[in-house]
């Protein structure tokens, strides 16, 4: 099989998609936005943690460690969910005609992948905010390709901010 | 006549655990695909990999192995089939 891998280096194989659509045609960047809001919320909650003293009692430490572990887990999962959702829409929905209109989409997706990793690896509110902004830009482009005007509605989440939706 | 062998690299996770994202596969199309075979087929200008769930009246119904990511089962015509997956490397 190593011979085939060598051949692949010279003549790369085609990509084959395994996504669910045959084709379902149902794509929506809403879940990516919700996930990005969740990453921001988790970063905020971890950042807001305070202890009763510089050297808190053991029981309090246990409680804090447990809560931060849970928040971190959710942050990591939702950063990964952002990447998955964006990747699927980019890979499965976007066609050549969309790319002609929106030449920056590849670069934007690349930046979202990197930014989601930064937001996942760190407790960085600024990075999480930047990720959310990028995902919203992606949502705007997505709805433009469908000929829909967009509006930014208040999310109603603790993160405040908006969600990009079609009018 | 179709080329008998084709090579592909898998994108996405709907065929896990049999085919992971990044796996390379070879297809062969000089045999008839049967129920249970993993096949690559063309749909809307894209190559898709799925497993044949059933074949009825010439229509091939396919589905993904990973139901968490793959929910749709749809009919595919035989001329859309690029080939049966015969090896992963």
């Amino acid at each position: 099989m190593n011979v085939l891998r060598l051949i692949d280096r010279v003549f790369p194989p085609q990509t084959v998609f395994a996504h669910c659509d045959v084709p379902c045609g149902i794509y929506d960047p809403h879940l990516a936005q919700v996930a990005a809001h969740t990453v921001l919320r988790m970063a905020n909650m971890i950042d807001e943690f305070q202890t009763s003293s510089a050297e808190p009692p053991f029981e309090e430490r246990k409680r804090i460690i447990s809560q931060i572990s849970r928040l971190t887990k959710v942050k990591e999962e939702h950063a990964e969910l952002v990447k998955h959702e964006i990747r699927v829409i980019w890979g499965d929905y976007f066609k050549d005609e969309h790319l002609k209109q929106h030449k920056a989409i590849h670069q934007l997706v690349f930046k979202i992948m990197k930014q989601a990793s930064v937001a996942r690896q760190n407790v960085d509110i600024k990075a999480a905010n930047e990720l959310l902004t990028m995902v919203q830009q992606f949502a705007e482009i997505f709805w433009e390709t469908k000929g829909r005007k967009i509006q930014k509605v208040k999310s109603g989440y603790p993160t405040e901010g908006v969600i990009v939706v079609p009018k | 006549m179709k080329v008998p062998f084709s090579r592909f690299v898998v994108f996405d996770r709907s065929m896990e655990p049999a085919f992971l994202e990044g796996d390379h596969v070879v297809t062969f199309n000089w045999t008839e695909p049967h129920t249970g075979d993993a096949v690559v087929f063309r749909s809307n200008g894209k190559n898709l990999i799925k497993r044949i769930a059933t074949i009825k009246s010439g229509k091939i119904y396919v589905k993904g192995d990973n139901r968490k990511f793959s929910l749709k089962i749809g009919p595919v015509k035989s001329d859309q089939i690029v080939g049966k997956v015969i090896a992963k490397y």
Side-chain angles (χ1 to χ4, degrees), chain A residues 1 4-5 7-8 11-24 27 84 87-88 91-92 95, chain B residues 7-12 14-15 21 24 26 40-41 43-44 46-50 69-72 87 89:
Chain A
M1 290 304 176
L4 287 171
R5 285 282 183 161
I7 293 171
D8 286 350
F11 303 104
Q14 299 177 63
T15 299
V16 60
F17 295 88
H19 182 53
C20 69
D21 59 340
V22 192
C24 65
Y27 301 98
H84 175 76
R87 201 165 57 225
V88 167
D92 289 11
K95 305 281 190 302
Chain B
R7 292 169 297 116
F8 298 92
V9 59
V10 177
F11 186 91
D12 221 299
S14 293
M15 286 297 281
E21 190 166 11
H24 293 225
V26 178
V40 171
F41 60 95
S43 177
N44 280 5
K46 286 169 33 177
N47 300 310
L48 293 170
I49 181 170
K50 295 283 176 188
F69 290 97
S70 182
L71 301 174
K72 297 278 179 177
Y89 63 98

Side-chain angles (χ1 to χ4, degrees), chain A residues 16-145:
Chain A
V16 60
F17 295 88
H19 182 53
C20 69
D21 59 340
V22 192
C24 65
I26 298 172
Y27 301 98
D28 193 328
H30 186 79
L31 186 53
Q33 294 183 79
V34 173
H37 271 282
T38 305
V39 172
L40 175 58
R41 176 63 174 153
M42 294 303 108
N44 280 332
M45 289 178 75
I46 295 169
D47 189 62
E48 286 165 5
F49 258 104
Q50 290 187 338
T51 56
S52 59
S53 64
E55 292 291 334
F58 183 62
E59 284 303 315
E60 185 180 342
R61 290 188 194 195
K62 276 201 300 186
R63 182 175 54 80
I64 291 171
I65 289 169
S66 170
Q67 289 181 351
I68 287 182
S69 299
R70 294 187 67 203
L71 296 173
T72 302
K73 179 173 182 288
V74 173
K75 182 166 72 69
E76 298 234 351
E77 287 173 348
H78 283 75
E80 198 56 40
L81 184 58
V82 169
K83 294 172 78 167
H84 175 76
E85 289 293 315
I86 296 294
R87 201 165 57 225
V88 167
I89 294 174
W90 173 68
D92 289 11
Y93 167 74
F94 276 92
K95 305 281 190 302
D96 286 343
E97 59 265 31
H98 302 138
L99 301 180
K100 285 174 188 165
Q101 287 179 319
H102 302 283
K103 293 187 170 61
I105 192 71
H106 288 334
Q107 184 63 20
L108 178 59
V109 170
F110 180 74
K111 284 168 65 179
I112 289 172
M113 295 299 123
K114 296 293 183 191
Q115 193 67 21
S117 294
V118 171
R120 189 179 64 189
Q121 291 160 1
N122 303 284
V123 182
D124 187 335
I125 294 169
K126 183 169 176 286
N129 266 311
E130 288 172 358
L131 174 64
L132 178 58
T133 301
M134 289 177 192
V135 173
Q136 288 167 342
Q137 289 171 356
F138 182 88
E140 288 180 30
I141 292 174
F142 172 83
W143 288 116
E144 278 181 31
T145 64

